[in-house]
Amino acid sequence: MATEKIKCYTMSMGMDSKLIDPNIDNILETLRVELEENCTEEDPLSYDFGVEYMTQEELDNLGEFDGF
């Protein structure tokens, strides 16, 4: 039996921190907060965005996202 893969959206900053979420609204909300609260003219932010397919078990094992 094949395990169903779930389309997940990713937002990462460098190699250290990556947000993975199947709900794109959570990615967009995080981006909104980062731009409003953490991005300045003197210290611009740069993110990479992507898509990964993961099983529910893989998602469950990710643990809590601790921020950028």
Side-chain angles (χ1 to χ4, degrees):
M1 180 174 132
T3 303
E4 180 184 352
K5 295 279 187 164
I6 301 164
K7 183 178 185 178
C8 298
Y9 303 94
T10 66
M11 178 178 172
S12 58
M13 179 183 240
M15 300 298 285
D16 297 333
S17 190
K18 182 188 258 185
L19 173 59
I20 301 172
D21 201 303
N23 184 344
I24 196 168
D25 290 332
N26 293 334
I27 299 289
L28 295 173
E29 177 62 17
T30 300
L31 178 59
R32 184 189 66 75
V33 170
E34 290 293 317
L35 286 171
E36 288 180 352
E37 297 179 10
N38 298 324
C39 189
T40 66
E41 190 173 358
E42 297 80 27
D43 190 21
L45 300 173
S46 179
Y47 295 97
D48 293 309
F49 299 92
V51 172
E52 293 183 18
Y53 290 86
M54 303 178 84
T55 65
Q56 185 61 54
E57 182 179 359
E58 290 170 323
L59 283 169
D60 293 343
N61 291 332
L62 287 177
E64 189 73 25
F65 178 68
D66 61 1
F68 292 105

